[in-house]
């Protein structure tokens, strides 16, 4: 049976262009806008764009985007402004914006045509205003989009560039080439995989010939007649040889595009009546004809979790399939670290279900019918192939199930990976359930602060790891970025995402490759103790909504901590609840520390000439909030003592030794404050890195000068009435009062809810000193462990830690080492007993 590849490039053949190639050689002009390329530009303008405006051929469409976005941004490039881009597009769009000096700002798409949502764009304009220097919508998969909306943006003075990479050959509602005569740049691709297939190249069109002239100068190093750069530029020129291929393709494009549109009709007819779970969903096509690179559709939600199995089944029958663009931009580590994402639920849904099928120049209608029949069969079989029926009924018992695959859950896996324990766990039936699309990243990248773990600590997860794939991440680009912050005051959390995700991918690969289960885009709803003594865990697929039962002998809760406004409001300060003191002026510490929190603070104090800010709390998050405010750029208008920190306990700095502390002039400690294992002073209670530096300054240790803008106000040393009056007078009150553990609803064998210590008021613990989850009476719940932010384990004994410490110990190093090993050892010991 013939293979039907997803993409089968069929550009014009250079082997048949001997005469034209010889003419190029005879002229000796191979690039720099020679006659072949100029002829192609003129022909394209006349034939495709009705002679309106002009066209510029470039080396590839990404270069065209980079130039066009840079030109559209003008003097606003390189100054922290945004390019508004739909999350469902190819990486090149966002990369081009970044190269052009703008930060990608990702927004959601429309559920019908999968292009940028007008509502999402409007919300972005309301939120970011003039910081949006350019809008770069994508004409999804070769279809048209509403250009009238973008003409309106351009008339308001906003830079507009249309990424029409796959749309050369597409027709609008009037039957013209999509984008003909547009007042802004339309950027098309001529890559070998596109409908307008050459080898490589791009075409930029605009109805504004002066705009194309400006881009032509940019494509030639910014030269304007002479050899002196008069503006930004680089080399984006299309060589003459590729101009030959482009000119030949121009004569073929009408027939090629029409043929592919006919194949689209066959797909829609064959699959449109398939009614399982609401059936397949097709992209709504704008205009009279798209330029289809391939056929994209959405799987029925019941089959979304089995997409990989469906693709593999089709491949076994010689049919190519893929999932463009999944993961979407908001799920890709580079753009999570270097862009800004708004909520994108539609992108999440489309990205989880999209499937791309073949549409090629050589296919026939019967080929499409074969693909459709194979797809329906693959969907019918996927439930059996992709998920064992025993597991769907909850009969298969995993040795252990980790609830949460973020930084804490993967820290546990990292601890196991430092020996052969992870392989042993996976082979024994380990399962990991994570609500995100991938393991590792969690929510760390959404915070605007630096880590309280060093770069060196992050890298200990991979350096010298027993697994070669994990060890190699030390020299991976994401590892190198972490290493750039070695010896500095932490790592910007937004820059940790690529490394965490890369580590998570390697760990997930080990688990799945050794027979374990990794279920992403899934939530654990609750767990019930069974008569057999294991746990029946209800797991909901976030895409399909399907709920299934997974059984496990042991559970590890690694769902992190949270901060609820109600809990912050209920905190009593100077005899009154903080909610009563602060009212609407209250910001939770967690909300402030996230990206965008400082901007929200600026808005709150915008009307005050001499604003006053109160931070309530003595935790690391409180000091991180203070540091974020003090180093804000541009600086906030704070006078002397305008920022006040209200805390109960003394603020203690960490020192690596008694000698180091005394050499620095710090002696406010005793024997009970020194870790007997490490010799560290305030190992657990002491502030580290950036927070430590601020504490040392404010305490005046070693002759350091306190920041005059900040005042320390220790509750108990200042009269309650005075504290209340100061907080009531503040323009903004930040409640940085730590985090509570996020527990999982657990039920006993009789169906009754198990009351956990984590559900108690205040700042409760999730676990005991062996990392076992405890109930409200302090008794361990059989077979359930916990790890992560606010879980409450306090190192002692051979793990070290100062005797005076009474808080909660959080730390990446602890999770990846001592605490992680403690849980792994217990999982393996119980597993060994079960086997015996």
């Amino acid at each position: 049976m013939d293979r039907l590849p997803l993409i089968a490039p069929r550009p014009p053949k250079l082997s048949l262009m001997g005469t034209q190639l010889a003419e190029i050689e005879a002229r000796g002009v191979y690039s720099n806008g020679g006659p072949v390329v100029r002829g192609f530009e003129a022909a394209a303008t006349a034939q495709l764009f009705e002679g309106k405006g002009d066209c510029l051929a470039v080396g590839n469409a990404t270069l065209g985007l980079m130039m066009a976005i840079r030109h559209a941004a003008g003097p606003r490039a390189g100054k922290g402004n945004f390019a508004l881009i739909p999350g469902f597009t190819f990486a090149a769009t966002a990369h081009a914006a970044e190269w052009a000096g703008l930060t990608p700002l990702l927004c959601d798409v429309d559920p019908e045509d999968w292009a940028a949502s007008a509502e999402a764009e409007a919300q972005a304009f309301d939120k970011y205003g003039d910081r949006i220097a350019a809008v770069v919508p994508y004409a999804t998969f070769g279809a048209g989009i509403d250009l009238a909306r973008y003409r309106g943006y351009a008339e308001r003075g906003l830079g507009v560039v249309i990424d029409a990479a796959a749309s050369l050959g597409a027709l609008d509602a009037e039957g013209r080439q999509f984008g003909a005569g547009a007042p802004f740049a339309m950027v098309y691709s001529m890559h070998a995989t596109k409908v307008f297939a050459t080898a490589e190249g791009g075409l930029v069109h605009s109805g504004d010939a002066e705009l194309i002239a400006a881009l032509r100068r940019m494509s030639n190093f910014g030269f304007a007649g002479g050899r002196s750069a008069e503006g930004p530029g680089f080399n984006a020129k299309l060589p003459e040889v590729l101009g030959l291929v482009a000119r030949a393709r121009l004569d073929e494009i009408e027939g090629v595009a029409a043929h592919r549109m006919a194949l689209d009709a066959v797909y829609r007819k064959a699959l449109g009546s398939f009614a399982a779970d609401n059936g397949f969903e097709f992209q709504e096509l704008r205009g009279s004809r798209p330029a289809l690179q391939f056929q994209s559709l959405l799987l029925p939600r019941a089959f979304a979790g089995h997409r990989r199995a469906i693709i593999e089944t089709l491949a076994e029958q010689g049919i190519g399939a893929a999932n463009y663009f999944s993961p979407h931009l908001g799920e890709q580590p580079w753009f999570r670290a270097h862009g800004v994402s708004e909520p994108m639920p539609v992108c999440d849904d489309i990205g989880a279900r999209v499937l791309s099928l073949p549409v090629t120049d050589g296919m026939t209608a019967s080929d499409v019918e074969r693909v459709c029949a194979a797809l329906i069969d693959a969907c019918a079989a996927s439930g059996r192939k992709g998920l064992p029926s025993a597991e769907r009924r909850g009969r298969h018992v995993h040795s252990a199930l980790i609830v949460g695959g973020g930084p804490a859950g993967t820290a546990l896996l990292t601890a196991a990976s430092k020996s052969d324990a992870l392989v042993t766990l996976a082979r024994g039936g380990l399962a990991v359930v994570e609500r995100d699309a991938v393991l590792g990243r969690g929510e760390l990248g959404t915070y605007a602060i630096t880590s309280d773990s060093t770069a060196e600590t992050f890298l200990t997860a991979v350096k010298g790891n027993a697994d070669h794939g994990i060890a190699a991440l030390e020299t991976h680009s994401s590892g190198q970025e972490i290493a750039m912050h070695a010896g500095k005051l932490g790592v910007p959390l937004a820059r940790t995402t690529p490394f965490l995700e890369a580590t998570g991918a390697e760990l997930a690969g080990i688990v799945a490759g050794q027979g374990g289960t990794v279920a992403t885009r899934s939530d654990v709803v609750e767990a019930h103790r069974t008569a057999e003594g294991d746990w029946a865990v209800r797991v909901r697929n976030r895409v399909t909504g399907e709920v299934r039962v997974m059984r496990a002998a042991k559970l590890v809760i690694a769902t992190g901590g949270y901060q609820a406004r109600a809990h912050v409001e209920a905190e009593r300060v100077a005899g009154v609840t903080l909610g009563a003191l602060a009212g609407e002026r209250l910001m939770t510490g967690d909300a402030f520390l996230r990206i965008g929190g400082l901007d929200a603070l600026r808005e709150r104090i915008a009307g005050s000439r001499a604003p006053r800010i109160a931070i309530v709390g003595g935790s690391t998050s409180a000091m991180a909030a203070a540091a974020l405010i003090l180093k804000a750029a541009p600086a906030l208008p704070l006078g002397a003592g305008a920022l006040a920190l209200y805390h109960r306990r003394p603020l203690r700095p960490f020192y690596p030794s008694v000698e180091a502390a005394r050499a620095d002039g710090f002696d406010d400690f005793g024997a009970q404050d020194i870790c007997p294992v490490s010799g560290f002073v305030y190992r657990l209670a002491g502030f580290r890195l950036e927070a430590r530096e601020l504490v040392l300054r404010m305490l005046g240790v070693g002759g350091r000068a306190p920041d005059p803008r900040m005042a320390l106000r220790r509750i108990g040393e200042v009269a309650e009435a005075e504290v209340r009056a100061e907080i009531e007078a503040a323009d903004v009150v930040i409640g940085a009062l730590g985090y509570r553990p996020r527990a999982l609803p657990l039920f006993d064998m009789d169906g009754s809810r198990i009351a956990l210590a984590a559900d108690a008021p205040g700042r409760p613990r999730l676990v005991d000193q062996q990392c076992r989850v405890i109930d409200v009476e302090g008794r361990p719940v059989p077979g359930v462990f916990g790890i992560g932010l606010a879980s409450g384990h306090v190192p002692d004994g051979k793990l070290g830690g100062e005797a005076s410490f009474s808080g909660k110990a959080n730390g990446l190093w602890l999770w990846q080492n001592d605490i992680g090993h403690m849980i792994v050892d217990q999982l393996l010991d119980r597993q060994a007993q079960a086997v015996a």
Side-chain angles (χ1 to χ4, degrees):
M1 185 176 293
D2 292 338
R3 290 184 65 254
L4 294 174
L6 178 62
I7 297 173
R10 192 185 281 185
K13 296 181 178 180
L14 277 170
S15 59
L16 302 179
M17 302 180 191
T19 301
Q20 295 98 315
L21 290 170
E23 290 173 351
I24 290 175
E25 292 176 343
R27 280 192 295 270
V29 177
Y30 296 92
S31 186
N32 294 342
V36 174
V37 170
R38 284 285 194 269
F40 163 67
E41 292 171 343
T45 302
Q47 186 171 325
L48 296 178
F49 301 103
E50 302 176 334
K52 298 177 180 177
D54 201 356
C55 289
L56 170 66
V58 291
N60 59 60
T62 305
L63 293 174
L65 284 171
M66 290 163 61
M67 289 193 306
I69 296 171
R70 178 65 179 82
H71 183 273
R76 301 172 68 187
K79 297 181 180 178
N81 293 309
F82 294 113
L84 182 58
I85 298 169
F88 192 67
T89 183
F90 189 48
T93 318
H95 276 311
E98 194 172 7
W99 281 109
L102 300 177
T103 298
L105 171 60
L106 308 179
C107 70
D108 210 358
V109 297
D110 184 274
E112 303 299 327
D113 66 6
W114 310 348
S117 160
E119 180 181 359
E121 288 178 343
Q123 290 172 351
F125 291 139
D126 288 342
K127 184 173 182 178
Y128 297 97
D130 291 341
R131 294 186 64 192
I132 299 177
V135 182
V136 191
Y138 169 58
T140 312
F141 295 144
I145 58 176
D146 180 16
L147 292 184
R149 184 163 92 232
Y150 297 101
R151 288 190 180 93
Y153 294 168
E155 289 169 359
R156 286 161 33 193
L158 190 64
V160 175
V161 176
I162 308 296
D163 182 351
S167 300
L168 200 52
L171 302 180
D172 63 18
E174 286 73 39
R176 302 172 303 177
Q177 164 62 46
F178 168 67
F184 30 68
M186 303 286 304
V187 183
Y188 308 91
S189 175
M190 302 189 298
H191 189 269
T193 60
K194 297 295 189 289
V195 177
F196 198 105
T198 63
E200 182 63 276
L203 188 69
V204 185
H205 166 74
S206 175
D208 182 352
E210 292 184 3
L211 170 59
I212 296 299
L215 296 180
R216 193 180 301 281
R217 292 190 293 271
M218 292 180 72
S219 73
N220 189 32
F221 308 103
F223 295 160
R227 303 285 290 179
S228 177
E230 298 183 14
F234 48 75
N235 182 6
K237 298 184 290 292
L238 185 74
E240 287 285 88
V241 171
L242 292 182
L244 281 179
V245 184
R247 183 64 185 84
R249 191 61 169 181
L250 186 61
D251 294 333
E252 304 171 352
I253 187 60
E254 180 61 29
V256 168
H259 169 70
R260 291 178 176 235
M261 187 60 182
L263 298 181
D264 170 78
V266 180
Y267 268 114
R268 290 173 185 261
K269 181 178 180 181
L271 296 176
S273 60
F274 185 67
D277 290 293
N278 298 321
F280 298 101
E281 296 176 44
F282 287 88
Q283 177 188 9
E284 179 182 294
L285 302 178
R286 292 182 178 271
S288 59
R289 184 187 73 196
L292 290 178
Q293 183 179 4
F294 35 71
Q295 178 66 61
S296 290
L297 49 78
L298 302 185
L299 288 169
R301 285 187 169 81
F303 300 111
H306 313 307
R307 180 171 58 186
R308 179 181 297 178
I310 291 169
I311 292 174
E312 290 173 352
T313 301
L314 292 174
E316 291 170 1
Q317 300 181 52
I319 297 171
N323 43 282
Y324 291 85
F325 304 110
S326 178
H328 62 68
L329 295 187
E331 296 174 327
Q332 296 178 24
W334 181 262
F335 301 117
R336 282 179 65 96
H338 296 84
V340 175
S341 293
E342 289 299 288
M344 294 187 286
V346 179
C347 285
D348 293 341
D349 181 50
I350 294 175
R353 297 196 287 138
V354 68
L355 182 72
S356 299
L357 300 169
V359 174
T360 64
D361 295 353
M363 284 181 67
T364 65
S366 61
D367 290 331
V368 173
E369 291 169 352
R370 172 187 156 196
V371 173
C372 294
L375 174 60
I376 293 171
D377 290 343
C379 286
S382 66
R384 295 190 295 273
K385 290 186 177 181
L387 191 65
S389 57
E391 182 173 310
R392 290 183 64 84
R393 293 193 297 271
R395 295 178 181 174
H396 174 80
V397 180
H398 296 276
S399 62
L401 186 149
I402 300 175
V403 184
T410 51
L412 176 64
L413 299 178
T414 296
S417 74
K418 294 182 177 182
S419 63
D420 61 355
L422 183 56
V423 171
T424 303
L425 284 170
R427 288 177 177 173
L430 177 67
V432 183
V433 179
E434 165 58 22
R435 71 194 321 270
D436 205 346
V438 296
L439 301 190
R441 62 195 181 195
E443 297 185 6
L444 280 188
T446 66
Y447 287 89
I449 57 176
T450 58
S451 65
D452 58 0
S453 296
T454 65
E456 292 85 346
T457 297
F458 277 94
L459 293 175
T460 58
V462 301
K463 190 172 185 178
N465 194 285
D467 181 85
H468 295 303
I470 296 177
L473 294 178
E474 184 179 7
T475 56
H476 184 269
S477 60
S478 62
Q480 291 177 335
E481 182 166 8
I482 297 294
M484 289 175 59
H485 299 278
K488 299 181 180 179
L489 298 179
V491 185
L493 289 179
R495 294 290 188 252
T496 64
T497 296
F499 180 74
L500 294 172
E501 185 169 339
T503 307
E506 290 291 336
L507 292 166
I510 295 172
V511 173
Q514 296 296 330
T517 299
V518 178
T520 56
R521 301 181 188 271
S522 298
D523 286 322
V524 173
V525 180
E526 60 191 26
H528 292 250
R529 187 79 168 162
T530 71
E532 292 80 10
D534 54 40
W535 291 93
V537 184
R538 295 184 69 235
V539 180
R540 182 179 66 88
N541 186 297
R542 291 170 56 82
V543 175
T544 68
E546 177 186 22
V547 176
R548 57 177 169 139
V549 173
M550 297 175 67
R551 289 181 62 174
K554 295 166 288 294
L555 302 179
V556 180
I557 299 175
T559 47
Y562 73 102
Q563 189 178 80
R565 186 179 180 89
H567 293 138
V568 176
E569 289 177 337
E571 185 77 15
R572 297 190 71 81
V573 179
V576 184
T577 64
L578 188 56
L581 275 178
E584 293 302 315
R585 294 172 295 117
L586 178 66
M587 292 182 72
T588 65
D590 185 71
F592 173 69
L593 294 175
R594 292 181 186 261
I595 293 172
L598 186 59
D599 292 332
L601 176 68
R602 288 185 189 278
E603 292 180 7
R604 285 175 176 246
I605 64 174
S608 177
R609 296 179 60 184
R612 302 193 68 81
I613 302 169
I615 300 176
V616 179
S619 63
T620 295
S621 60
M623 296 307 299
L628 188 61
I629 290 170
L630 294 174
K631 68 180 183 180
L636 298 176
L638 301 178
L643 173 64
L645 180 77
Y646 297 86
H647 61 102
R648 291 190 177 93
R649 298 177 182 175
L651 304 178
R652 304 300 196 188
F654 162 84
Y655 280 97
S657 67
V658 170
E659 294 75 19
R662 288 175 176 162
D664 197 32
F666 182 78
D667 57 8
D668 187 11
F669 61 91
Q672 74 279 10
D673 303 317
I674 303 169
C675 172
V677 174
S678 65
F680 295 165
V681 177
Y682 293 121
R683 175 189 170 188
L684 302 178
F687 290 100
R688 298 184 181 231
L689 301 175
E690 188 173 50
R692 175 180 182 271
E693 290 302 309
L694 181 55
V695 167
L696 291 173
R697 287 183 63 191
M698 297 310 301
L699 295 179
V701 175
R704 294 173 176 85
D707 192 311
R709 296 171 295 173
M710 184 173 175
L712 299 181
R713 308 288 282 166
R714 187 175 175 187
I715 298 172
E717 293 182 351
V718 180
E720 287 191 348
E722 192 174 343
V723 170
R724 290 196 298 268
E726 291 176 4
I727 294 177
E728 288 174 340
D731 295 279
V732 175
V733 180
I734 299 174
L737 297 164
Y739 290 80
R740 292 172 55 88
R742 185 180 283 111
L744 175 69
L746 299 177
F747 296 84
D748 220 331
M749 285 181 284
D750 61 2
S752 61
R753 177 80 176 262
I754 300 174
L756 299 178
D759 300 326
R763 299 186 185 88
R765 298 178 66 174
L766 174 68
V767 302
D768 63 10
Q769 290 302 90
Q770 285 75 49
C771 293
R772 300 173 298 184
V773 170
I774 53 177
D775 67 16
V776 72
E777 301 296 332
R779 298 168 301 197
V781 179
V784 186
F785 304 89
I787 187 173
L789 181 64
S791 59
H793 178 269
V794 180
D796 60 2
K798 66 178 183 179
L799 272 61
E802 65 269 26
S804 61
F805 182 70
S806 60
K808 293 179 180 179
N810 297 306
L812 190 61
W813 190 91
L814 283 170
W815 301 338
Q816 292 175 350
N817 293 280
D818 292 344
I819 289 177
H821 291 311
M822 178 187 296
I823 296 175
V824 169
D825 288 344
Q826 294 180 83
L827 296 179
L828 290 175
D829 286 345
R830 295 192 176 197
Q831 182 176 313
Q833 293 172 12
V835 172

